[in-house]
Amino acid sequence: DLTIGFTRVREMYGHLEWTDGDLCIILPKLNSDLVMEGRTLRHCVGGYGKTHASGSSLIFFVRKYRRPERPYYTLNISMKGRPKELQLHGYGNERHGPNKEYCHSIPAKVREFCDRWENEILLPWYAEKQRQQKEEMTA
């Protein structure tokens, strides 16, 4: 059941949600959140419910802090081994127009925010998890 998987992911990884006061990173609560994200931003994240619920590849929503309910960018992180960014996409995967003829890049502010989150929150969390596992093995 996806609902159980989403709940388990929030319990395991909810402490990775973060803000710098301007932007924030949050986890989806339900599969319907992913579907809405995909529809609004016109990309394929709506089909990622099973992998997110399994915990192998997590979806994080990048939001403006003052509008956390409004889709902005979507971050996909592989949790197999050392966490690794797989995708960061906004509207239309940065391509839009009737024939996807227009292209924009991810704003530097969003890219820098995601990089800071990875370096200040995600990777230290992973290092601590690895340290704890080593301690348990030697105990």
Side-chain angles (χ1 to χ4, degrees):
D1 181 14
L2 287 180
T3 303
I4 293 168
F6 272 70
T7 300
R8 189 176 57 243
V9 164
R10 288 190 62 78
E11 289 169 359
M12 290 177 61
Y13 302 105
H15 57 279
L16 295 175
E17 294 183 326
W18 184 67
T19 184
D20 68 355
D22 191 30
L23 297 174
C24 60
I25 287 195
I26 59 176
L27 284 163
K29 292 177 177 67
L30 302 166
N31 188 57
S32 58
D33 295 340
L34 292 182
V35 172
M36 187 187 85
E37 180 94 349
R39 284 186 186 146
T40 303
L41 294 180
R42 297 187 183 204
H43 60 53
C44 65
V45 74
Y48 284 41
K50 285 183 182 177
T51 57
H52 177 82
S54 76
S56 64
S57 177
L58 300 182
I59 301 297
F60 291 90
F61 296 155
V62 179
R63 301 286 195 250
K64 292 183 178 178
Y65 183 71
R66 293 178 185 219
R67 298 290 307 267
E69 74 287 350
R70 187 176 190 183
Y72 188 46
Y73 280 85
T74 311
L75 181 62
N76 182 206
I77 302 286
S78 171
M79 299 304 281
K80 297 175 185 171
R82 184 178 187 270
K84 179 183 174 192
E85 181 180 312
L86 300 175
Q87 301 180 76
L88 173 62
H89 287 300
Y91 184 77
N93 291 346
E94 295 70 63
R95 300 192 71 77
H96 51 97
N99 300 305
K100 298 204 179 263
E101 67 269 24
Y102 304 113
C103 185
H104 69 277
S105 59
I106 295 168
K109 180 178 179 177
V110 172
R111 175 74 269 164
E112 290 166 4
F113 172 79
C114 291
D115 290 344
R116 271 188 293 123
W117 173 78
E118 288 178 38
N119 291 321
E120 295 176 20
I121 305 300
L122 182 63
L123 294 178
W125 165 83
Y126 177 72
E128 177 61 18
K129 181 179 158 194
Q130 293 297 103
R131 187 190 66 73
Q132 288 173 355
Q133 287 176 349
K134 282 182 184 177
E135 279 184 10
E136 289 171 8
M137 291 174 69
T138 59

